[in-house]
């Protein structure tokens, strides 16, 4: 009799243990993390020094700090990608003040939904913000700024369709309805009508009638394409292009923002990179020095070329 009771108790204990194991397994399945997180920070430094150098030259050092942070969510039909890019660089050269060489804050968030798990096409909404950390100057003039934090800031918000191939590192976004807002919160620049906002209005005697507007809103078409993939054993291609045209103001006049970069891995921490950044915006007027004075001229193609070697840490 005692044996039968003990055996029955043993079966009950085994049954309870089995239920607990099933509950534990279920809990694990319900807490699957659908987020992928990447953090990458880097520092590029280049330096040149001369001692009794017969052909002459100025000692200089250039420093560039970089940050790339991603938070991406993917579960069946939902895809939500978030990216924050940060860059700030400066150059210190003998005989002149420290000068800024790079300055960028760029945040992009894209939320997409697809009707089935096979299709690579998503119905998407995209938000994008571009601005900078500090004032910019037309050197050697360091008194009158030509840009600054949120002067300008470009905000894009739209809906459209997105083609995503994570296996190929390919992303293409097409939006027939995108709002572009240009912010110029620096009132001095806004009064000048910088970056396309309405300038200040003065009377015949030069008295201020109305301050310049600090924002400008457009509605148009946005097309973007990103490719980030390994093209050789230790080389990664990072291609980003954005094309925008406004429906009302000069439709067909396209704003271009194109970045192309090759990241080359030396070892786990040391990396080299070659980059090219091209911008054309009809609302950004170039400046030239004429007879000792800085005057504003029409828009021009902006070009920046980069070559760097530094330390990168991912976590």
């Amino acid at each position: 009799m005692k044996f039968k009771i003990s055996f029955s108790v043993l079966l009950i204990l085994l049954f309870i243990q089995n239920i607990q194991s099933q509950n534990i397994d279920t809990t694990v399945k319900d807490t699957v993390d659908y987020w992928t997180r990447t953090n990458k920070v880097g520092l590029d430094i280049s330096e040149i020094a001369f001692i009794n150098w017969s052909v002459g030259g100025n000692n200089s050092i250039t420093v560039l700090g970089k940050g790339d942070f991603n938070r991406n969510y993917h579960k069946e039909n939902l895809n939500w990608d978030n990216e924050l890019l940060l860059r700030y660089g400066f150059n210190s050269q003998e005989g002149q003040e420290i000068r800024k060489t790079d300055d960028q804050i760029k945040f992009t968030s894209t939320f997409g939904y697809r009707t089935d798990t096979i299709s690579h096409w998503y119905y998407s909404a995209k938000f994008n913000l571009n601005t900078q950390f500090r004032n910019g100057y037309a050197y050697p003039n360091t008194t009158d700024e030509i840009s600054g934090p949120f002067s300008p800031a470009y905000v894009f918000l739209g809906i459209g369709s997105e083609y995503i191939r994570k296996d190929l590192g390919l992303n293409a976004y097409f939006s027939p309805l995108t709002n572009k807002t240009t912010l110029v919160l620096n009132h001095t620049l806004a009064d000048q009508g910088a970056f396309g906002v309405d300038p200040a209005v003065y009377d015949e005697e030069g008295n201020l009638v109305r301050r310049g507007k600090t924002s400008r809103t457009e509605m148009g078409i946005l097309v973007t394409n990103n490719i980030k993939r390994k093209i050789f054993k230790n080389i990664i291609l990072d291609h980003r292009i954005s094309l925008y045209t406004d429906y009302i103001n000069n439709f067909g006049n396209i704003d271009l923002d194109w970045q192309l970069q090759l990241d080359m891995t030396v070892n786990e921490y040391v990396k080299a990179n070659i980059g090219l950044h091209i911008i054309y915006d009809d609302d950004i007027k170039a400046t030239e020095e004429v007879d000792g004075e800085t005057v504003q001229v029409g828009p021009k193609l902006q070009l920046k070329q980069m070559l760097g070697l530094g330390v990168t840490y991912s976590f």
Side-chain angles (χ1 to χ4, degrees):
M1 183 66 178
K2 291 181 179 180
F3 175 75
K4 290 183 178 180
I5 293 175
S6 300
F7 184 72
S8 299
V9 172
L10 180 60
L11 288 176
I12 292 172
L13 292 174
L14 289 173
F15 178 72
I16 293 174
Q17 184 180 6
N18 184 50
I19 292 176
Q20 290 177 340
S21 299
Q22 290 179 352
N23 289 338
I24 292 173
D25 292 341
T26 303
T27 302
V28 172
K29 290 179 182 177
D30 290 342
T31 57
V32 173
D33 192 357
Y34 296 98
W35 288 92
T36 58
R37 304 168 179 86
T38 59
N39 307 287
K40 186 184 296 183
V41 293
L43 186 67
D44 294 349
I45 300 177
S46 61
E47 182 263 352
I48 185 169
F50 301 94
I51 300 177
N52 301 323
W53 195 250
S54 62
V55 296
N58 292 331
N59 300 333
S60 69
I61 182 171
T62 301
V63 178
L64 172 64
K66 302 177 292 183
D68 186 355
F69 307 94
N70 292 268
R71 297 292 184 273
N72 302 323
Y73 179 87
H74 181 72
K75 180 182 179 182
E76 297 177 351
N77 296 353
L78 296 179
N79 190 79
W80 185 19
D81 293 336
N82 301 276
E83 181 181 49
L84 175 63
L85 295 175
L86 306 174
R87 295 175 66 94
Y88 188 80
F90 63 88
N91 171 266
S92 177
Q93 185 170 324
E94 184 181 13
Q96 68 180 29
E97 72 284 351
I98 294 177
R99 298 185 176 187
K100 183 171 67 172
T101 58
D102 204 342
D103 193 353
Q104 182 183 41
I105 302 174
K106 184 174 183 177
F107 174 71
T108 304
S109 180
T110 308
F111 181 83
Y113 172 79
R114 59 182 176 178
T115 56
D116 58 70
T117 58
I118 300 176
S119 175
H120 296 292
W121 286 95
Y122 290 76
Y123 299 104
S124 297
K126 181 183 287 287
F127 171 82
N128 181 269
L129 168 66
N130 294 321
T131 187
Q132 61 194 60
F133 287 102
R134 299 185 61 189
N135 289 345
Y137 299 91
Y139 297 108
N141 182 351
T142 57
T143 303
D144 304 316
E145 66 271 19
I146 60 173
S147 66
F150 283 86
S151 297
Y154 298 105
V155 181
F156 293 88
L157 180 61
I159 55 175
S161 182
E162 187 174 29
Y163 182 77
I164 302 175
R165 288 291 302 272
K166 292 185 180 296
D167 57 326
L168 300 177
L170 171 65
N171 178 296
Y173 174 76
F174 310 90
S175 171
L177 196 64
T178 292
N179 173 275
K180 176 186 177 183
T181 301
T182 303
L183 301 175
V184 183
L185 302 187
N186 183 311
H187 287 287
T188 300
L189 295 174
D191 289 345
Q192 298 170 4
F195 306 103
V197 299
D198 293 338
V201 177
Y202 301 88
D203 60 20
E204 296 180 353
E205 298 178 354
N207 298 314
L208 180 66
V209 176
R210 178 182 61 79
R211 301 214 67 168
K213 292 187 176 181
T214 56
S215 66
R216 178 186 179 184
T217 302
E218 303 172 71
M219 185 64 70
I221 301 172
L222 176 66
V223 178
T224 69
N225 173 234
N226 297 344
I227 299 174
K228 189 170 185 178
R229 58 182 302 181
K230 182 182 293 186
I231 56 175
F232 295 107
K233 183 178 179 180
N234 294 327
I235 300 178
I236 295 177
L237 169 69
D238 191 350
H239 156 87
R240 305 163 185 259
I241 190 169
S242 172
L243 304 170
Y244 180 83
T245 184
D246 180 42
Y247 281 120
I248 300 175
N249 182 31
N250 295 329
F251 179 73
N253 183 30
I254 299 175
D255 295 338
L256 167 69
D257 190 333
W258 180 33
Q259 297 182 65
L260 183 65
Q261 182 166 305
L262 294 176
D263 294 321
M264 294 165 284
T265 302
V266 179
N267 57 40
E268 184 180 358
Y269 299 107
V270 179
K271 291 179 172 55
N273 57 80
I274 301 174
L276 181 69
H277 193 177
I278 297 176
I279 294 177
Y280 179 82
D281 190 332
D282 196 58
D283 297 320
I284 301 178
K285 309 303 180 185
T287 58
E288 291 182 357
E289 187 172 334
V290 179
D291 297 330
E293 294 184 1
T294 302
V295 297
Q296 194 175 76
V297 296
K300 291 185 177 182
L301 190 71
Q302 304 172 57
L303 174 65
K304 179 172 66 176
Q305 186 271 332
M306 299 155 286
L307 173 62
L309 176 66
V311 178
T312 300
Y313 177 67
S314 300
F315 57 97

